Amino acid sequence: MTNLRSILLAGVSSLLVVTGAQAADRALSGTITSASGQRLDGVTVSAKQEGSTITTSVYTDGTGTYYFPLLPSGRYQVWAQALGFERVRSSVDLSTARRQDLVLQPITDPERRIRQLPSELLVAALPEGTENDARMKKVFMNNCTGCHAPGYVLQFRFDQAGWSKVIDLMKVVPVTGVYPGPNTKASKILDHNQQELAAYLSRARGPAETTMKFVTRPRPAGEVARAVWTLYDLPLNPDAGIGTKYNDNDGTDWALGTTSKLGQMPHDGGMGLDGALYFTVNNPNTLATIGRVDPKTGRVSYLKVPAEDGRAANAHGLTRDAQGNFWFDVNPGRRSLGKLDTATQKITVYETPKDMVPLGGAVTMDVDGKGKIWASAADGAVRFDPATETFVAFKSLTPYRNPKGTAMTYGAAGDRDGNGWWAQMATDTIFKGDVATGKAIQIKLPDVKVDQLTVDDRAFYETVNDLGFNNPAPWSQGPRRMGTDKNANVLWVGNSWGATFARIDTKTMETRIIPFPDTTMQPYHIAVDNKHNVWGNLWTSDRIVKLDPSTNKWTMFDLPVRGTEIRHIALLEQGDKLTVVMPVYRTNQMGVMTIRTEAEMTAQAAAAR
């Protein structure tokens, strides 16, 4: 029988009170123009009540006008920005005013323009005109984005010696981003390419004139410009010793570049049926396993499962079941399954039997169509039945420790028929756990086409025996996290290194690779809505994506902050209302996006007049 421990937890609250909640809601609108008087469409406009940790962001329409949903009366900081322009700030008291016009000035400092760019535009600008440059760009995209988005390092400038020192460090740092010590074995791929890669990066981001070719991207329009973002600032981990409660660089001034992730809290997140936000905490701390955000006040409270060392037990993956309970992995000493009853705030911990593998790998959680819970294990996946409180384990056909490297499970999901799915990221392999037979079925994804490799390069890569989460071969797809369509027989997989989706028929196993619009886009996690739309977070792009499979239409939604590095996405569908939720990992926030209809936009415009 499962080893069961129940822990009733009183939430320990951080101190946060938002004023003005009792006052009447107000409309806020205005026009954004350039210095020459041109009205600017698709500009990001944000408002934050003084004393609050909640920021609401919208976009200007085709006439350069923005309309906020009704906001509580009070004094607000309001700011606007767009690529190529400095952020402009002002303040408005909604008790006496309803309009705030702003004028954007162009950025004249080239370095501020570069730091303002999202990661995928920085990567796109890297030179690839020669065969050698193209090879080094591929190495950088694959092997320098394991523990951070590429924009974090490309915002800095170093000469060749400096870049070589950076590579000296990164070739021994694992995907956790934590330096393991001077005796750690170096990545063969980075070690092999170090000299050429350092020279390449010094030409692009060195002291001399850059060889990068910068392009911009269209500002939000149409459906994207109707999006409303709400970001909730989270307190920094006090155990990190930073000395500030909140991140000074919270991503709201794009020209400050990508912030450090030191002290960040959230990893996975979701919205409860009551509208509260929940997130897992994966970094060592003494405070929290699960965090909760009150959506009205922004107040953050914490739930803690004690670990053996006295700290809070870490958590990683998170999913919500039909009853509104959240399921997550938790490590109080042996990595286990946790359940949070949001009505009682009670956490129950379920441990796999001693003779069964514990949860492990980069744990991803999902609820299948039969109500069973699926979670990653190091060498496969496990299924938990909440009714009988029993586990069943499914094992990968390729051992996670094998001659080519370490192939721990990354993403996991459950389909509508109750079968499970999981990915070995390092080997480009997807497995199906067939519940009827108790067996695993293997699918090997096709290689990414790479034209720039020489015969000697290919011979070298065939000798590499340390492939892993952040150490792939150039032709790797990199299946990371996945999601199933609970209203169809389809599994969707986000392939980070391949910049593709894999679409797998859960009945026939037919597999189709769908390339993203740009090879710099790296998907991370997948969620599918009731209309079969595929949602994913582009963790290197400060964007989330929606693919409509019926029309093959891609829609990219820009986040209002820079350097986000999102690793999880979740949906809440209530009637016709769709809410997209994500933990904004590096900037230490919880993010919520909704999309206004045309009718709602018209009504808000009328309210603002």
Side-chain angles (χ1 to χ4, degrees), residues 31-40 64 85 102-105:
T31 300
I32 308 298
T33 59
S34 68
S36 64
Q38 177 187 1
R39 291 182 172 228
L40 299 175
F85 293 92
L102 296 169
V103 178
L104 295 186
Q105 302 290 338

Side-chain angles (χ1 to χ4, degrees), residues 55-137:
T55 302
T56 305
S57 297
V58 297
Y59 303 94
T60 55
D61 62 17
T63 69
T65 306
Y66 67 87
Y67 305 99
F68 277 92
L70 293 178
L71 299 170
S73 180
R75 190 168 185 83
Y76 283 78
Q77 292 295 314
V78 181
W79 62 92
Q81 60 193 324
L83 290 178
F85 293 92
E86 296 280 6
R87 182 179 69 160
V88 58
R89 296 188 61 140
S90 186
S91 62
V92 60
D93 189 343
L94 289 187
S95 63
T96 59
R98 295 189 177 188
R99 186 173 183 86
Q100 182 64 60
D101 298 334
L102 296 169
V103 178
L104 295 186
Q105 302 290 338
I107 296 178
T108 57
D109 180 351
E111 280 302 301
R112 286 178 63 80
R113 291 179 69 94
I114 290 173
R115 285 196 300 272
Q116 192 200 41
L117 293 173
S119 279
E120 97 277 7
L121 291 186
L122 287 169
V123 173
L126 288 173
E128 55 183 335
T130 68
E131 185 176 278
N132 284 342
D133 281 356
R135 285 192 301 109
M136 288 303 101
K137 184 170 182 175

Side-chain angles (χ1 to χ4, degrees), residues 124-163:
L126 288 173
E128 55 183 335
T130 68
E131 185 176 278
N132 284 342
D133 281 356
R135 285 192 301 109
M136 288 303 101
K137 184 170 182 175
K138 186 65 175 174
V139 170
F140 177 83
M141 289 170 61
N142 279 19
N143 301 90
C144 298
T145 57
C147 55
H148 57 72
Y152 181 69
V153 66
L154 288 177
Q155 67 187 333
F156 303 111
R157 300 172 70 178
F158 302 103
D159 60 14
Q160 184 171 343
W163 280 112

Side-chain angles (χ1 to χ4, degrees), residues 24 75 83 234 238 243 309-310 367 369 393 400 431 445 560:
R75 190 168 185 83
L83 290 178
L234 304 179
D309 60 4
V367 182
Y400 83 87
F431 293 94
L445 298 180

Side-chain angles (χ1 to χ4, degrees), residues 492-558:
W492 292 91
V493 184
N495 298 319
S496 274
W497 299 319
T500 62
F501 277 152
R503 183 194 183 280
I504 300 175
D505 188 303
T506 57
K507 296 285 193 183
T508 67
M509 315 291 279
E510 178 188 1
T511 301
R512 182 158 56 95
I513 298 298
I514 302 173
F516 271 75
D518 193 287
T519 58
T520 64
M521 297 176 176
Q522 293 194 19
Y524 206 104
H525 187 218
I526 307 299
V528 185
D529 67 27
N530 290 332
K531 297 179 180 178
H532 311 293
N533 295 308
V534 184
W535 294 83
N537 50 303
L538 303 179
W539 79 299
T540 61
S541 302
D542 298 329
R543 279 178 157 183
I544 60 173
V545 62
K546 181 182 75 171
L547 171 64
D548 182 344
S550 66
T551 61
N552 292 320
K553 179 184 177 182
W554 297 87
T555 307
M556 307 290 174
F557 295 88
D558 294 4

Side-chain angles (χ1 to χ4, degrees), residues 322-334:
Q323 292 73 43
N325 304 306
F326 280 99
W327 297 84
F328 54 96
D329 65 288
V330 60
N331 191 2
R334 189 171 188 265

